[in-house]
């Protein structure tokens, strides 16, 4: 092999292939977790954690394959948008699921939200089921 004819294209192709495969496996893991986990909180975790890393790896692979500098700011904006929206949406889904009792309390290691919900229910005059009190 002549060092003067060395090209970085095979290296870039190999790195982007590894990023694509690992990113796809992370996304597959998230999908399997959504189907297999027992309750809302576990599924919410499976949908957010590996999905963000998987998307990051796939976007990096796309950026490497495009081989132009102008595509990177667009990919970074797409990833930052995911970083900002995924945790917020998971938080809202988790709180809604908690308040509507769509969880298995025996699977929680610590229930830090129970005292806050009970206090809010007491201030609004609700019973333990969230129904208005009829005293």
């Amino acid at each position: 092999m002549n060092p003067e004819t060395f090209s970085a294209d095979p290296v870039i192709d190999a790195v982007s292939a590894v990023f694509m495969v690992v990113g796809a496996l992370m996304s597959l893991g998230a999908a399997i977790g959504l189907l297999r986990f027992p309750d809302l909180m576990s599924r919410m975790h499976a949908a957010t954690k590996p999905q963000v890393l998987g998307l990051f790896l796939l976007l990096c692979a796309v950026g490497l394959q495009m081989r132009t500098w102008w595509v990177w700011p667009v990919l970074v904006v797409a990833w930052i948008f995911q970083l900002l929206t995924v945790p917020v949406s998971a938080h809202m889904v988790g709180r809604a699921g908690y308040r509507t009792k769509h969880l298995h309390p025996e699977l929680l290691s610590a229930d830090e939200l129970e005292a806050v919900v009970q206090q809010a229910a007491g201030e609004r005059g609700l019973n333990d089921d969230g129904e208005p009190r009829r005293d």
Side-chain angles (χ1 to χ4, degrees), residues 44 87-97:
M44 181 181 60
V88 172
S89 62
H91 178 78
M92 297 308 293
V93 167
R95 280 188 80 101

Side-chain angles (χ1 to χ4, degrees), residues 11-126:
V11 174
I12 292 173
D13 289 340
V15 170
S16 65
V18 168
F19 282 178
M20 281 187 201
V21 169
V22 174
L25 288 175
M26 295 294 285
S27 298
L28 178 66
I32 291 171
L34 281 173
L35 294 174
R36 299 291 310 240
F37 283 162
D39 68 335
L40 176 74
M41 301 299 177
S42 301
R43 289 178 182 173
M44 181 181 60
H45 177 78
T48 56
K49 302 295 181 191
Q51 183 264 342
V52 172
L53 179 60
L55 179 69
F56 173 73
L57 292 172
L58 288 171
L59 291 176
C60 286
V62 168
L64 289 172
Q65 283 299 305
M66 295 292 287
R67 291 185 173 88
T68 57
W69 69 270
W70 59 266
V71 76
W72 284 97
V74 175
L75 298 175
V76 168
V77 167
W79 190 58
I80 288 175
F81 183 72
Q82 283 292 309
L83 280 177
L84 294 175
T85 58
V86 167
V88 172
S89 62
H91 178 78
M92 297 308 293
V93 167
R95 280 188 80 101
Y98 184 89
R99 287 176 181 250
T100 58
K101 312 265 192 265
H102 284 90
L103 69 135
H104 296 291
E106 66 274 2
L107 295 177
L108 295 176
S109 58
D111 190 357
E112 297 169 353
L113 191 57
E114 182 179 13
V116 175
V117 171
Q118 293 298 328
Q119 181 183 8
E123 290 174 359
R124 286 186 278 159
L126 302 176

